[in-house]
Amino acid sequence: MMLPRTGVVAAVCSLALLAACSSGPEGAVKGFYKALDAGKTDTAKGYLSAQITEMLGDGKLDMALAEGAKNMADCGGLDSVQVTLTGEGEVRRGTAAISFKGDCPAKNDEVMLVQENDQWKIGIGK
């Protein structure tokens, strides 16, 4: 019965690769935009800090994420995300340069990340 064991190994390797790709503050930003691009608003919500989720509440946050996913789809989908961050410790600030596959112009979003429970989350700040 090698097949089940091979499947388990492949699944573990896939999870390890996914964790490696999404680690760090840059990975959190990229993961958020990729989740929106895929229409996975619940996954995108997981990249947001508790401050954002508590401030907006589930209803408003779900609507905002759904609108973001729709806007991204209307732009032909995500082409690339380039993240530039500065800072040390538990806070990073910078920009996410977003380009789309369709005709929408590229945009730069200001981002702030905070560390919550040993994970990087997108926060609110100036």
Side-chain angles (χ1 to χ4, degrees), residues 4-22:
R5 175 177 261 170
T6 303
V8 170
V9 170
V12 169
C13 289
S14 295
L15 287 174
L17 183 60
L18 180 62
C21 291
S22 65

Side-chain angles (χ1 to χ4, degrees), residues 7-113:
V8 170
V9 170
V12 169
C13 289
S14 295
L15 287 174
L17 183 60
L18 180 62
C21 291
S22 65
S23 63
E26 293 88 357
V29 175
K30 289 180 179 183
F32 172 78
Y33 285 105
K34 288 179 180 180
L36 276 184
D37 184 46
K40 296 180 179 180
T41 57
D42 284 342
T43 301
K45 190 188 296 189
Y47 287 103
L48 302 177
S49 71
Q51 181 185 21
I52 290 175
T53 57
E54 290 170 5
M55 185 178 80
L56 293 177
D58 280 336
K60 286 183 181 179
L61 185 56
D62 288 343
M63 286 188 334
L65 290 172
E67 183 177 337
K70 181 189 177 313
N71 290 343
M72 196 166 288
D74 289 347
C75 286
L78 183 67
D79 185 36
S80 69
V81 179
Q82 300 298 321
V83 182
T84 306
L85 299 173
T86 60
E88 294 181 10
E90 297 181 353
V91 177
R92 302 284 194 280
R93 297 175 193 278
T95 59
I98 315 299
S99 62
F100 303 98
K101 293 178 184 173
D103 293 332
C104 293
K107 67 176 189 164
N108 289 319
D109 286 348
E110 290 186 26
V111 293
M112 185 193 86
L113 290 106

